[in-house]
Amino acid sequence: MMMKIGKLLRKVRVELGLTQKEMAGDIVSPAQYLRIEKDEQQIKLDDLLAILQKHDYDLGLFFTRLMLQCQLRQEALLDENKDGVKKAFYGCNLDSLEKLEINPHDQILLVEAETIKQVLGQRLDKSQTSKQKICQYFIDQDNWMENLESLKLFTIVLHIFNFEMVVFWMNELLDKYRQIEKYPEQIQIAVAKICISFMIRCHQEQSEQLIKPIVAFVDSFPAYPEFAICKLVAKYYQSLSVGDTDKAEKLNFALNEAGVADFFNFWWQ
């Protein structure tokens, strides 16, 4: 990632109360300096040092600020990518996911993005190698159920795992979080999303009987707005399991009204 030196130079110049012409001095032309501040032109290291020294600006401070600025931009980009992956999944938008530039060192986000590409692109049968790689990630992780990012990832990857493996891990998960109210809110939300994905998978596998304990588990979640969608989905599948199609249709309508129509219609079609 290219460091935005021009942006920091501009901050320093404003702090010093100088014009662009005064800041540039006789080191670079005013036109060049203007382009440098806009990050349209790179500045030579010698010229940068000369400008800072000319105005008695501490070199160590400048480069410390530059490193911090770069770190903040990297963190912002990471958050933006995480948000983009999440929007792609819940918006069932493969095109937007393909456009994201994900840091190759962010293993979890890479696995998550690859899984979503497979699920949304319906390329599961053609991607055995990739599926094995994704499954291996969880096999290799000790105590992945205690890691928030891994829990978020499992919400998606359970759609491509062998169903027997999914059922096994869900039983382990329910046992671990049987007193869900004692855990931090972010963990509760992650587990609630896993429950939604599991109910969808069970419906696809025509294993409605496995949904029953999930419905009971979801009922134990706090009565907070954050869990409203999860509780509605549980009631939806409960209605289907007893043949109450009228109630199921009303719950489906409520989910559509809540703005998650694209996501659920993708799975329920």
Side-chain angles (χ1 to χ4, degrees):
M1 181 186 301
M2 185 177 68
M3 297 182 182
K4 298 294 184 180
I5 293 178
K7 182 178 180 181
L8 181 55
L9 266 178
R10 182 181 183 282
K11 286 183 179 180
V12 170
R13 176 178 62 78
V14 172
E15 291 168 4
L16 295 175
L18 301 173
T19 65
Q20 289 183 336
K21 184 176 181 180
E22 290 170 336
M23 188 72 166
D26 57 358
I27 300 166
V28 296
S29 71
Q32 283 180 302
Y33 185 80
L34 174 62
R35 291 193 296 272
I36 291 169
E37 273 202 2
K38 290 182 176 181
D39 285 307
E40 295 174 354
Q41 176 181 323
Q42 291 185 332
I43 185 172
K44 296 178 181 178
L45 179 59
D46 289 345
D47 290 341
L48 173 62
L49 296 178
I51 289 174
L52 294 175
Q53 290 171 340
K54 176 180 178 67
H55 301 292
D56 295 322
Y57 195 85
D58 187 273
L59 300 181
L61 175 59
F62 182 86
F63 287 103
T64 298
R65 291 180 68 178
L66 187 61
M67 290 175 61
L68 178 58
Q69 175 180 289
C70 184
Q71 180 181 346
L72 290 174
R73 290 186 64 244
Q74 288 176 325
E75 291 174 355
L77 181 60
L78 177 61
D79 289 341
E80 182 179 326
N81 278 334
K82 286 183 177 179
D83 188 55
V85 170
K86 179 179 178 181
K87 286 180 178 178
F89 179 56
Y90 287 105
C92 301
N93 191 333
L94 181 60
D95 290 339
S96 66
L97 185 60
E98 298 280 8
K99 295 175 182 177
L100 291 177
E101 296 182 7
I102 298 175
N103 187 328
H105 300 295
D106 192 334
Q107 185 183 14
I108 289 183
L109 198 58
L110 282 172
V111 173
E112 184 174 354
E114 176 58 31
T115 305
I116 296 173
K117 287 178 184 178
Q118 291 186 42
V119 172
L120 297 184
Q122 299 179 338
R123 301 195 296 263
L124 301 186
D125 295 335
K126 301 177 182 178
S127 308
Q128 292 301 321
T129 301
S130 185
K131 284 173 64 176
Q132 291 172 3
K133 187 183 298 184
I134 293 167
C135 292
Q136 193 63 42
Y137 169 82
F138 282 87
I139 293 172
D140 291 343
Q141 297 299 310
D142 293 328
N143 303 319
W144 67 263
M145 292 184 186
E146 298 175 6
N147 182 282
L148 179 59
E149 293 304 318
S150 293
L151 286 172
K152 291 178 180 178
L153 179 57
F154 187 68
T155 302
I156 302 167
V157 300
L158 68 79
H159 289 290
I160 68 169
F161 283 162
N162 174 281
F163 188 54
E164 291 182 359
M165 183 184 294
V166 171
V167 173
F168 170 79
W169 269 337
M170 278 302 300
N171 286 331
E172 294 286 306
L173 195 75
L174 293 181
D175 183 61
K176 177 176 180 59
Y177 290 109
R178 58 184 178 275
Q179 293 181 303
I180 190 68
E181 72 281 354
K182 294 184 177 181
Y183 290 88
E185 184 176 333
Q186 289 301 312
I187 292 289
Q188 293 182 29
I189 292 173
V191 173
K193 290 178 179 178
I194 289 174
C195 289
I196 290 176
S197 285
F198 182 67
M199 286 186 282
I200 291 171
R201 181 72 189 273
C202 288
H203 184 62
Q204 291 173 329
E205 300 287 341
Q206 297 181 335
S207 299
E208 309 289 347
Q209 74 280 3
L210 295 177
I211 295 175
K212 190 172 181 180
I214 301 298
V215 173
F217 176 65
V218 168
D219 280 341
S220 71
F221 277 79
Y224 299 158
E226 292 87 343
F227 306 115
I229 296 296
C230 185
K231 289 177 180 286
L232 283 174
V233 173
K235 296 296 183 184
Y236 172 81
Y237 283 116
Q238 186 178 46
S239 300
L240 288 181
S241 65
V242 298
D244 190 346
T245 55
D246 287 341
K247 185 173 182 180
E249 287 180 5
K250 290 178 181 177
L251 288 165
N252 192 5
F253 176 79
L255 288 166
N256 288 342
E257 287 294 296
V260 291
D262 289 342
F263 177 71
F264 287 104
N265 286 338
F266 176 84
W267 297 105
W268 292 346
Q269 61 188 355

